[in-house]
Amino acid sequence: MTLKDIIKSNYNQDLEISGGNGKSIEEAIIIHKTSRNDYVGTEHFILQCIGKEKRHEWELIGQRLFVHNGRKIDHLDIDIEKTVDGKLTFVAEDYYFDITECL
């Protein structure tokens, strides 16, 4: 099941996305241009859905745009809130979004 399918099934949103899971540049989540073209809102919504699936809260730490192989990649660095052995801890995770169509 793709990320698009999971979000459609579990959150009743049919996002214009394709690609991978976002955990690497090669597996970037591709956000396709729509008439609304709110790619930042789409990125945050996707992260909210991923957080709910994992049962984790998250906070955006940093964001940067760069070009990789001619594609515009938005890199989001987030902190995931986890409880390990009864102790609250934060783990950094990276997500990559291909927003070439949106710019």
Side-chain angles (χ1 to χ4, degrees), residues 6-64:
I6 292 168
I7 291 172
K8 186 175 182 180
S9 174
N10 295 352
Y11 303 98
N12 200 29
Q13 293 291 320
D14 190 12
L15 301 178
E16 291 298 321
I17 62 171
S18 61
N21 62 13
K23 295 299 290 170
S24 69
I25 295 171
E26 294 77 22
E27 290 292 320
I29 300 164
I30 301 167
I31 299 178
H32 301 285
K33 186 174 183 174
T34 64
S35 59
R36 192 167 151 217
N37 203 32
D38 180 16
Y39 65 89
V40 173
T42 301
E43 290 172 342
H44 288 232
F45 180 74
I46 290 168
L47 291 176
Q48 287 174 349
C49 293
I50 291 171
K52 286 179 184 177
E53 291 298 306
K54 293 181 174 184
R55 294 184 176 90
H56 294 214
E57 296 292 324
W58 63 273
E59 179 181 348
L60 182 64
I61 305 252
Q63 182 172 1
R64 72 181 176 97

Side-chain angles (χ1 to χ4, degrees), residues 55-59 79-83 88-91:
R55 294 184 176 90
H56 294 214
E57 296 292 324
W58 63 273
E59 179 181 348
D79 259 354
I80 301 286
E81 184 180 296
K82 292 184 178 183
T83 303
L88 183 63
T89 186
F90 295 92
V91 177

